[in-house]
């Protein structure tokens, strides 16, 4: 057999290698910003169109390149930053692999304009799919401007893999944040589709963080500082009371490079131990300066993972430094004593040992007293939240019904509950609800379960789970039929979010509106909300949106449907009445009836059982 091995042509090799460096537009942004920083720029401008799919341009005022260097910069392994392998251990630059420009040029249309200070004129080079198509002399200011157009134009599979503009823009903003936060003494601007997204002036670390995450961030920050032979730690942690459900604001920088480190993240969490509510994540912006020889940043092509020589010492130091800061700034004690304990019920409840359920009988309870009350209503109006303090809204719900019932039907009689008991139990336990539920009794057990009887025995409904199912189906109906009911707020709610969070919410704005949200003006990291879904209360809106952001961040849904589903699930989880909330009898009945009016009453949106049944046979066996 003849020889079959051949060397891949350069442009093919480059395309393959590009896959490692360039996953999405945000990867290009990162590489170009880092090159500008390595070129000692003081002002860096990022211009994006269509979330980077059509244009990514970075303009810097750095040292520029000579004609030869400009041409060479697109060759693989062409770098001015290291000369030998030893240099790898003394790195002071972001780049060193000499791969970024070669990779980008293999999969996009690239235009470079560059000029060094000493030169009269600059160089302009155009490259398409690794081929130089033009090289000219040009007039351009000192520094370098690179535009990357039509990313992945020659790899359709990759291009098709890109997510929606909103998602890709989010990734770009993430990279921009990371680079800008690592270099507060440089000026950064960012434009998207012609409008300014960020304009970050020269500043210090604190101002830079505030400029990025919004004015309200300032009061949340606790400074962290420590200097040892091994490491200099500086930066900030967020006060525990501002800890979020989303992990969004967690940043480590090592020698001005953003890195990911689950190990160090653990150290920060350990410092916060006992100060955070369940599922809350502290914000942190930690800057570590270490001897470049003590780290290895060569282990990952995008260089976000690094290896420390003495990880354990670093862990211990970071933890104790943060602990110390939290103590020094009196953050810990304030939290302990100023807590509103009434807010804590669900958490306390959680840690308690479960008691053996006991049935408490209210001897004064007369099931026939409220004979006009029926729970069969499943109109959207009836889904008003359970958490409203007064039962007024509940009564209101039934007012209309009462008269309706009276005119359309004979008065329910005392036998209805008996009838109910004698009903055949089929797939839907409450099939004949109008007749059967008017008078039947429910009990709330341990502020967690609703117990009611059926012919064959009893049903035990988990109130939180059942309500999740009810709200979930209601929201889905609202979204798909655009029929949700809104509550107008007397005073608009103003909630602040970071730009990234706002970008994330934008991706589901339409669905949110279909659940009943009405958005007003949006400016300076603040969203104004003038109407909220009828199923939610004003108090829970901010937690609801935070949880939603968190869920959207962790699961990037691909299709419109799964996004709607994720949104409905997330909101239902936030809105559903918690364990520990006492429900009035009519609320209990409403819950049971609405649950069994659902399309899939047996499980929560996350497939957990919503109720169990206990038959008389099973009870008999226990005696
Ligand atoms: P690396 O950054 O790893 O060296 P790149 O492919 O990103 O590799 O860049 C190749 C070379 O091109 C760099 O080493 C640098 O000399 C030059 N270069 C890239 N971008 C710029 C810029 N914005 N200004 C000046 N020189 C640049
Ligand atoms: Mg580079």
């Amino acid at each position: 057999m003849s020889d079959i091995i051949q060397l891949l042509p350069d442009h093919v090799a480059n395309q393959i290698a590009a896959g490692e460096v360039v996953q999405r537009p945000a990867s290009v942004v990162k590489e170009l910003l880092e090159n500008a920083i390595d070129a000692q720029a003081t002002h860096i401008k990022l211009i994006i169109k269509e979330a980077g799919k059509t244009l990514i341009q970075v303009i810097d005022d750095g040292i520029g390149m000579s004609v030869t260097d400009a041409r060479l910069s697109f060759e693989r392994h062409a770098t001015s930053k290291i000369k030998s392998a030893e240099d790898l251990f003394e790195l002071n630059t972001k780049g060193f692999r000499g791969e970024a420009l070669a990779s980008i040029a293999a999969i996009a249309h690239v235009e470079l304009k560059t000029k060094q200070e000493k030169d009269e004129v600059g160089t302009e080079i155009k490259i398409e799919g690794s081929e130089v198509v033009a090289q000219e002399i040009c007039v351009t200011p000192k520094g370098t401007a690179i535009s990357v157009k039509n990313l992945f134009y020659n790899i359709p599979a990759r291009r098709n893999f890109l997510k929606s503009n909103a998602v890709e823009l989010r990734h770009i903003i993430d990279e921009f944040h990371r680079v800008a936060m690592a270099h507060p003494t440089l000026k950064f601007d960012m434009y998207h589709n012609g409008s300014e997204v960020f304009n970050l002036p020269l500043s210090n670390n604190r101002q830079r963080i505030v400029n990025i995450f919004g004015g309200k961030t300032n009061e949340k920050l606790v400074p962290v500082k420590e200097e040892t032979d091994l490491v200099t730690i500086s930066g900030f942690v967020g006060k525990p009371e501002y800890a979020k459900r989303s992990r969004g604001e967690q940043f480590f920088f090592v020698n001005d490079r953003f890195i990911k480190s689950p190990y160090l993240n653990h150290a920060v969490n350990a410092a916060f131990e006992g100060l955070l509510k369940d599922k809350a994540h502290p914000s942190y912006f930690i800057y570590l300066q270490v001897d470049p020889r003590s780290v290895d940043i060569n282990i990952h092509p995008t260089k976000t993972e690094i290896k420390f020589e003495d990880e354990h010492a670093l862990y211990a130091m970071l933890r104790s430094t943060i602990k110390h800061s939290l103590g020094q700034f009196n953050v810990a004690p304030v939290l302990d004593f100023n807590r509103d304990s009434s807010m804590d019920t669900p958490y306390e409840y959680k840690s308690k040992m479960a008691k053996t359920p006991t049935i408490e009988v209210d001897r004064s309870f007369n099931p026939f007293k409220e004979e006009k009350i029926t729970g069969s209503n499943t109109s959207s109006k009836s889904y008003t939240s359970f958490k409203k303090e007064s039962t007024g809204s509940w009564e209101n719900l039934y007012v209309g019904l009462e008269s309706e019932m009276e005119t359309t039907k004979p008065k329910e009689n005392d036998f209805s509950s008996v009838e109910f008991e004698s009903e055949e139990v089929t797939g839907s336990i409450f099939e004949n609800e109008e007749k059967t539920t008017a008078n039947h009794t429910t009990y709330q057990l341990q502020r967690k379960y609703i117990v009611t009887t059926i012919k064959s025995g009893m049903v035990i409904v988990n109130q939180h789970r059942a309500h999740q199912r009810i709200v979930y189906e209601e929201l889905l109906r609202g979204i798909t039929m655009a029929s949700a009911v809104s509550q107008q707020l007397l005073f608009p709610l103003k909630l602040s979010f970071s730009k990234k969070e706002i970008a994330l919410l934008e991706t589901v704005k339409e669905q949110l509106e279909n659940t009943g949200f009405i958005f007003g003006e949006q400016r300076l990291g603040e969203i104004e909300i003038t109407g909220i879904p009828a199923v939610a209360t004003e108090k829970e809106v901010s937690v609801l949106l935070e949880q939603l952001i968190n869920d959207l961040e962790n699961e990037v849904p691909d299709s419109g449907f799964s996004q709607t589903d994720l949104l409905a699930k997330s909101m239902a989880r936030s809105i559903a009445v918690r364990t520990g909330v006492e429900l009035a009898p009519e609320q209990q009945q409403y819950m049971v009836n609405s649950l069994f009016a659902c399309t899939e009453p047996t499980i929560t949106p996350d497939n957990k059982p919503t109720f169990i049944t206990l038959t008389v046979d099973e009870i008999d066996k226990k005696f």
Side-chain angles (χ1 to χ4, degrees), residues 31-32 35-36 38-39 60 62-65 69 72-75 78-81 94-102 114 143-146 303:
E31 294 296 337
L32 297 184
N35 278 347
D38 285 343
D60 70 53
I63 55 172
M65 286 180 259
D69 282 355
L72 257 182
S73 66
F74 291 100
E75 295 294 324
T79 180
S80 55
K81 298 170 195 175
K94 308 274 162 208
F96 54 84
R97 301 170 73 111
E99 289 181 319
L101 290 187
T114 186
T144 303
I146 298 192
K303 309 179 216 82

Side-chain angles (χ1 to χ4, degrees), residues 145-268:
I146 298 192
S147 346
V148 176
K149 293 180 184 164
N150 311 320
L151 192 66
F152 297 131
Y153 78 98
N154 51 358
I155 317 182
R158 282 233 155 206
R159 194 164 172 93
N160 295 338
F161 251 101
L162 293 178
K163 305 269 180 185
S164 67
N165 284 3
V167 172
E168 293 300 342
L169 181 63
R170 219 172 82 213
H171 286 287
I172 291 175
I173 291 179
D174 271 348
E175 291 297 350
F176 180 82
H177 280 174
R178 292 166 179 177
V179 174
M181 257 189 286
H183 297 277
T185 56
L186 308 183
K187 204 164 144 8
F188 288 91
D189 302 321
M190 174 173 167
Y191 297 83
H192 183 234
N193 291 340
S195 46
E196 183 180 282
V197 187
F198 288 99
N199 175 348
L200 304 172
L202 302 188
S203 61
N204 58 26
N205 282 343
R206 187 170 192 133
Q207 289 163 338
R208 179 57 52 95
I209 292 167
V210 170
N211 283 336
I212 290 177
F213 293 102
K216 292 198 179 125
T217 316
N218 199 21
E219 67 202 58
K220 302 179 187 172
L221 300 179
V222 179
V224 172
K225 197 142 196 59
E226 181 65 273
E227 242 184 284
T228 69
D229 291 344
L230 183 71
V231 58
T232 303
I233 303 174
S234 63
F236 306 90
V237 293
K239 291 180 186 164
E241 63 264 40
Y242 294 109
K244 291 192 164 191
R245 281 182 158 225
S246 97
R247 282 178 198 273
E249 291 165 14
Q250 301 190 328
F251 299 90
F252 285 117
F253 301 94
V254 173
N255 298 352
D256 302 334
R257 182 194 301 274
F258 168 83
I259 60 138
K260 289 180 186 157
S261 169
Y263 186 67
L264 294 184
N265 175 61
H266 195 273
V268 179

Side-chain angles (χ1 to χ4, degrees), residues 376-561:
S376 61
N377 173 24
T378 53
S379 79
S380 61
K381 193 175 146 205
S382 68
Y383 287 103
T384 306
S385 173
F386 282 89
K387 280 176 252 173
K388 297 221 169 99
E389 238 70 302
S390 87
T391 53
S393 55
W394 281 98
E395 281 150 20
N396 292 343
L397 284 181
Y398 292 103
V399 172
L401 276 167
E402 263 174 49
S403 45
E404 215 178 277
M405 300 283 295
E406 266 160 10
T407 52
T408 56
K409 273 180 34 175
K411 221 175 168 200
E412 300 288 337
N413 64 41
D414 293 350
F415 296 108
S416 55
S417 60
V418 180
E419 250 179 70
F420 174 69
E421 296 284 289
S422 67
E423 287 242 331
E424 272 300 312
V425 180
T426 52
S428 166
I429 306 177
F430 296 94
E431 245 178 359
N432 207 349
E433 34 194 320
E434 290 202 358
K435 246 194 287 169
T436 57
T437 57
N439 287 329
H440 89 267
T441 314
T442 52
Y443 299 102
Q444 194 185 16
L445 258 190
Q446 303 273 322
R447 297 192 186 153
K448 183 172 186 184
Y449 299 109
I450 304 164
V451 182
T452 188
T453 51
I454 49 173
K455 182 209 165 198
S456 62
M458 65 203 272
V459 185
I460 304 171
V461 176
N462 180 313
Q463 66 186 46
H464 177 59
R465 290 190 185 175
H467 201 211
Q468 265 188 55
R469 163 56 62 182
I470 297 166
V471 174
Y472 169 75
E473 290 199 4
E474 170 65 9
L475 288 171
L476 274 189
R477 248 195 311 279
I479 299 170
T480 46
M481 314 199 314
S483 64
V485 184
S486 242
Q487 310 171 44
Q488 288 281 340
L489 298 176
L490 211 50
F491 303 102
L493 262 179
K494 289 195 173 140
L495 299 176
S496 43
F497 291 100
S498 70
K499 292 210 168 138
K500 188 184 135 208
E501 291 170 332
I502 291 179
L504 204 55
L505 287 176
E506 289 279 340
T507 64
V508 289
K509 189 167 178 219
E510 198 179 320
Q511 284 108 317
L512 283 172
E513 283 168 349
N514 287 341
T515 67
F517 274 104
I518 304 172
F519 295 102
E521 262 181 63
Q522 187 213 106
R523 73 183 123 83
L524 295 174
E526 224 177 43
I527 294 187
E528 192 183 72
I529 297 172
T530 58
I532 61 173
V535 288
T537 58
E538 199 173 328
K539 259 202 283 179
E540 51 198 23
V541 167
S542 87
V543 176
L544 183 154
L545 292 178
E546 234 180 60
Q547 178 69 50
L548 179 64
I549 289 168
N550 184 34
D551 291 345
L552 287 169
E553 254 173 3
N554 292 332
E555 262 176 79
V556 181
D558 285 329
S559 67
F561 171 74

Side-chain angles (χ1 to χ4, degrees), residues 114-152:
T114 186
K115 186 179 94 74
Q116 295 181 308
E117 181 141 50
K118 63 177 176 44
D119 293 336
E120 286 286 301
V121 287
T123 309
E124 181 173 357
I125 294 181
K126 289 186 185 166
I127 297 194
E128 292 179 3
S130 300
E131 297 269 326
V132 177
V133 293
Q135 176 166 354
E136 283 156 26
I137 290 172
C138 73
V139 177
T140 181
K142 171 204 167 211
T144 303
I146 298 192
S147 346
V148 176
K149 293 180 184 164
N150 311 320
L151 192 66
F152 297 131

Side-chain angles (χ1 to χ4, degrees), residues 311-330:
E311 242 181 6
H312 295 301
L314 202 56
Y315 181 104
M317 232 168 274
L318 187 59
R319 196 184 78 146
S320 72
T321 305
I322 295 175
K323 248 189 146 134
H324 179 76
S325 293
L326 290 172
Q328 200 179 22
F329 285 84
N330 267 342

